[in-house]
């Protein structure tokens, strides 16, 4: 393909994908299937890899990440990013209203109310309609430019389509993780036996600062915009500016309302107090702004916040109750979680008896003493949490909590690894909840999907000494199962059939099921696709593991260690013998020779007698590998006509051998 052909295609694809993206994220419509969308994206990624100089500034490929930023550049805000003063009662709001009335010398004014979204604020800069910077608040004066991460937010326009946008402007808003995205992320954490995140806000804040934008893209951040800045915007009210940014394609929450006076504002606040819990994201209050921009200017700012706006924070429902004790739970990976055992108390619709305390740091932070009266709130309106101690009620005689040093389940001395918040029980193979937890993970729906087994049956099988590892499930006999409480002929048959059926579950699910630390479902799929079978994976060196797509050092080390463990080897051998799938069912093109074994290729440009796909197939059939781009790992760049100059340059710089079709054909014959 010539550069000019590529340019045309890249332009077309960029436009097409951005169109479908806008339709989907802004209008909730789709004209093509996910599969077709992914194919267009793949095609564009391919072309951009080949012709990187032709990549457009609004390329949708930026949505999937791919940038690693070690240090985010620190940038001074053009307009400082101030915060808002908080109020907690109608009286305080009325005081604010009185200050406004005074500041405006009796002039009439309107308010504009929005919900206060609980995320991290971001300032976006657009130049000539293109998103160029995404800056965090930082200290208000300067923040970090996290643009690569911001570009993964699908609802944000990378380029404004409307013609009438000022040459430069800034919009500010709140980046957040929706409740759904947050729950999904925590589910994935559970799947790999990792600690779950405590709340969506902090997680969003951590995500915005991650170095690898590919990881950020997976977490699906979202953003609501609520503030337009810039001199040439030609708007006179906040309402107009909100409508304007909406018309430019920004996502604005539809929960706003213009209010005539402070009583109207109070009604708005009231109306959202309960309803806000049904929204897809966390909100913690209402922001009240003077609508007229000239009046905003007249009121001005204090050193910290505008005088023309204020936040009203909803009171999280909070109750005080006695901390009766702390119990400790041990998870599948041995991580210990302390749990507050509370005197039962009614809170926001349910009776609360227990609340997670997460780890020893949290206990120390709260300075808990057994017998203390503690305040309990419902974080995220669902999960109860202990927020503080009611010190006025503390009895002098109470002693601070001393964190346990031995596993409550098996008595083994606990360990706490450098830099980790959790204590762990290292007795992986002998600690009952760890053993049962591994079997529960093994049978889960996304793993071996044995739904004839559940937590209670596993506990019984374990207690009777029948099942200690997943492989034991495949040795179960009818007479064993009949020993279980409540099991009769039919339920026994069911259970055994479920176990039998799991032998057809594909390799990637089996790989997930065996519970290698950090290997979640997606990673298991990548590993299965790349290594094809368990032996390839089990014998892989760290270097080979790192070659697999999306596998970083932490995962590579964990996989490597897993397969070096004698007991794990024995377990895998037993599972193999039982007949589980340890081979990927994906069919490779049939092998013709080993002539290209160990050699990697990138194919670029056009060839007289071959299509590019044909050449790729030849490479694979002869034992070679196709890489996605020129890098230090590459052996050969197979160059056709009109290959992009930058690719050649890069290959030369990295010392990658550049060959023509003649030399390639020779390699196949030798
Ligand atoms: S307007 C001059 N509107 O709350 C400040 N802020 O405590 C203008 N926030 O920094 C901010 N929802 O991060 C505004 N609808 C909303 C908001 C909102 C959430 C955040 C924002 C701000 C903080 C102030």
């Amino acid at each position: 393909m010539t550069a000019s052909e590529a340019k045309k295609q890249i332009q077309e694809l960029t436009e097409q994908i951005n169109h479908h993206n806008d339709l989907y994220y802004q209008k909730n419509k789709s004209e093509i299937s996910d599969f077709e969308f992914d194919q267009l994206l793949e095609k564009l990624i391919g072309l951009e890899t080949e012709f990187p100089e032709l990549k457009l500034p609004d390329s949708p490929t930026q949505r999937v990440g791919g940038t690693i930023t070690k240090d985010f550049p620190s940038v001074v805000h053009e307009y400082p990013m101030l915060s808002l003063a908080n109020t907690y009662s109608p009286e305080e709001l009325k005081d604010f209203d009185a200050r406004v009335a005074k500041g405006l010398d009796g002039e009439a004014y309107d308010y504009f109310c929005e919900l206060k979204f609980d995320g991290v604020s971001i300032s976006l800069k657009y130049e000539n309609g293109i998103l160029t910077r995404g800056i965090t608040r930082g200290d208000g004066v300067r923040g970090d430019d996290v643009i690569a991460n911001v570009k993964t937010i699908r609802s944000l326009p990378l380029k404004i389509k409307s013609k009438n946008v000022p040459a430069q402007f800034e919009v500010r808003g709140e980046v957040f993780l929706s409740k759904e995205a947050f729950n999904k992320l925590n589910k994935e954490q559970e799947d790999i036996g990792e600690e779950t995140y405590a709340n969506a806000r902090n997680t969003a804040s951590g995500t915005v600062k991650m170095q690898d934008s590919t990881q950020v893209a997976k977490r699906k951040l979202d953003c609501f915009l609520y503030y337009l800045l810039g001199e040439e915007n030609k708007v006179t009210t906040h309402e107009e500016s909100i409508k304007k940014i909406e018309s430019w394609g920004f996502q604005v929450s539809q929960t706003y309302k213009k209010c005539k006076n402070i009583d109207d504002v109070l009604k708005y606040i009231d109306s959202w107090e309960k309803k806000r819990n049904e929204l897809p994201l966390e909100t913690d209050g209402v922001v009240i702004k003077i609508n007229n921009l000239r009046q905003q200017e007249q009121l001005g700012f204090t050193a910290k916040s505008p005088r023309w706006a204020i936040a009203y924070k909803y009171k999280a429902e909070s109750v005080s109750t006695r901390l009766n004790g702390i119990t400790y739970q041990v998870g599948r990976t041995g991580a210990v979680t302390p749990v507050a055992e509370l005197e039962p108390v009614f809170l926001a619709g349910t009776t609360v008896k227990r609340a997670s305390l997460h780890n020893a740091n949290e206990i120390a932070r709260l300075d808990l003493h057994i017998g203390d009266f503690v305040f309990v709130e419902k974080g995220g309106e669902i999960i109860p949490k202990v927020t503080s101690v009611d010190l006025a009620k503390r009895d002098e005689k109470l002693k601070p909590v001393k964190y346990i040093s031995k596993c409550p389940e098996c008595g083994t001395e606990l360990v706490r690894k450098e830099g980790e918040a959790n204590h762990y029980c290292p007795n992986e193979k002998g600690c009952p909840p760890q053993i049962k937890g591994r079997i529960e993970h093994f049978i889960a729906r996304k793993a071996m999907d044995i739904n004839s087994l559940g937590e209670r049956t596993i506990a019984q099988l374990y207690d009777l000494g029948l099942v200690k590892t997943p492989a034991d499930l495949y040795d179960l006999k009818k007479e064993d199962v009949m020993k279980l409480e409540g099991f009769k002929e039919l339920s026994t048959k069911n259970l055994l059939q479920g176990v039998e059926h799991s032998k057809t579950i594909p390799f990637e699910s089996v790989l997930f099921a065996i519970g290698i630390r950090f290997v979640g479902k997606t990673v298991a799929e990548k590993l299965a696709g790349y290594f094809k079978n368990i032996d390839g994976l089990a014998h892989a060196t760290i270097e080979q593991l790192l070659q697999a797509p999306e596998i970083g050092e932490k995962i590579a080390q964990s996989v490597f260690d897993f397969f070096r463990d004698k007991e794990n080897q024995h377990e895998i051998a037993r599972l193999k013998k039982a007949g589980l799938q340890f081979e990927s069912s994906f069919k490779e093109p049939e092998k013709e020779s080993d002539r290209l074994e160990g050699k990697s290729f990138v194919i670029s440009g056009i060839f007289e007698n071959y299509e590019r796909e044909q050449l790729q197939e030849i490479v694979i059939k002869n034992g070679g590998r196709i890489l996605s781009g020129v890098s230090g790992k590459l052996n050969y760049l197979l160059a056709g006509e009109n290959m992009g100059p930058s690719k050649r340059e890069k290959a030369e710089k990295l010392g990658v051998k550049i060959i023509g079709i003649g030399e390639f054909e020779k390699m196949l014959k030798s």
Side-chain angles (χ1 to χ4, degrees), residues 356-406:
S356 171
L357 293 166
H358 305 288
N359 52 52
N361 296 347
E362 181 68 1
I363 294 178
R365 186 185 74 78
L366 292 162
D367 181 30
L368 292 179
H369 293 39
I370 304 291
D372 264 341
F373 275 85
V374 291
F375 289 107
V376 185
E377 274 180 19
K378 280 200 177 168
E381 312 305 326
I382 317 159
I383 310 159
K385 65 173 183 213
V386 177
T387 52
S388 61
V389 173
D390 190 348
L391 288 175
K393 287 197 189 164
R394 174 170 284 169
D395 186 328
E396 299 263 303
K397 290 190 283 298
L398 301 181
K399 297 239 161 45
V401 171
K402 202 161 164 286
Y403 205 83
I404 49 165
S405 61
K406 292 200 163 63

Side-chain angles (χ1 to χ4, degrees), residues 221-509:
L221 289 171
D222 206 344
C223 185
F224 275 143
L225 286 308
Y226 47 64
Y227 195 11
L228 173 65
L229 298 110
E231 268 85 63
E232 345 154 28
N233 292 320
K234 299 195 199 97
V235 281
T236 57
T237 63
H238 181 64
E239 183 180 25
E240 279 170 41
S241 68
I242 288 292
K243 299 231 156 103
K244 183 155 246 173
I245 59 178
E246 210 174 354
S247 76
W248 288 345
F250 290 99
Q251 182 170 245
V252 170
S253 165
Q254 294 306 310
T255 50
Y256 60 74
K257 189 170 189 286
K258 194 164 85 177
C259 293
K260 292 195 299 296
N261 52 42
I262 204 72
D263 288 328
D264 252 17
V265 169
L266 289 169
K267 275 188 207 137
Y268 175 87
I269 291 174
D270 253 5
S271 74
W272 279 104
E273 167 127 38
K274 291 264 169 322
K275 231 175 17 184
R276 73 195 171 99
N277 296 329
E278 291 155 28
L279 293 173
L281 80 161
E282 305 278 353
T283 55
D284 61 347
V286 170
V287 179
I288 300 121
K289 301 171 183 171
I290 291 292
N291 193 25
N292 186 305
L293 300 185
R294 187 190 48 74
Q295 292 179 334
Q296 283 190 2
E297 211 172 311
Q298 187 174 336
L299 289 164
F301 297 83
T302 69
K304 280 191 288 185
S305 51
R307 289 200 188 88
W308 48 264
I310 202 151
Y312 176 90
K313 300 263 260 185
Y314 287 115
K315 262 195 225 71
E317 237 185 286
S318 170
V319 286
S320 160
T321 189
R322 189 195 294 273
L323 174 69
N324 289 333
I326 291 179
T327 52
Y328 297 85
Q329 285 178 349
V330 184
R332 163 169 77 90
T333 54
V336 176
T337 311
V339 179
E341 299 293 339
L342 304 165
E343 190 58 34
V345 64
F346 196 70
L347 173 65
T350 56
T351 302
V352 176
K353 296 184 199 126
R354 317 180 77 211
S356 171
L357 293 166
H358 305 288
N359 52 52
N361 296 347
E362 181 68 1
I363 294 178
R365 186 185 74 78
L366 292 162
D367 181 30
L368 292 179
H369 293 39
I370 304 291
D372 264 341
F373 275 85
V374 291
F375 289 107
V376 185
E377 274 180 19
K378 280 200 177 168
E381 312 305 326
I382 317 159
I383 310 159
K385 65 173 183 213
V386 177
T387 52
S388 61
V389 173
D390 190 348
L391 288 175
K393 287 197 189 164
R394 174 170 284 169
D395 186 328
E396 299 263 303
K397 290 190 283 298
L398 301 181
K399 297 239 161 45
V401 171
K402 202 161 164 286
Y403 205 83
I404 49 165
S405 61
K406 292 200 163 63
C407 176
E409 302 280 346
C410 70
T412 307
E413 193 79 28
L414 297 179
V415 291
R416 193 183 201 183
K417 284 191 210 122
E418 182 87 20
E420 290 201 11
N422 276 91
H423 285 76
Y424 282 87
C425 166
N427 183 18
E428 242 176 84
K429 303 282 159 64
C431 180
Q434 296 190 56
I435 298 171
K436 285 186 271 188
R438 277 196 297 274
I439 301 166
E440 281 160 20
H441 170 78
F442 183 81
I443 60 135
R445 197 171 52 82
K446 281 203 277 177
M448 302 306 284
D449 194 18
I450 310 181
N451 61 16
S452 56
L453 273 170
E455 215 172 295
R456 273 189 42 213
T457 319
I458 288 172
Q460 280 197 63
L461 288 166
Y462 173 78
D463 291 342
L464 290 172
L466 291 166
V467 175
K468 280 211 174 67
T469 76
D472 293 337
L473 292 172
Y474 297 91
D475 290 342
L476 281 176
K477 306 265 169 320
K478 187 176 164 191
E479 54 273 25
D480 296 330
V481 183
M482 294 288 276
K483 285 185 206 147
L484 302 179
E485 209 184 288
F487 272 75
K488 303 225 168 64
E489 197 73 30
L490 189 67
S491 39
T492 300
K493 196 170 141 220
N494 251 340
L495 191 155
L496 292 172
Q497 259 176 5
V499 172
E500 189 59 30
H501 176 261
S502 73
K503 294 180 184 170
T504 63
I505 294 289
F507 176 43
E508 58 270 21
S509 301

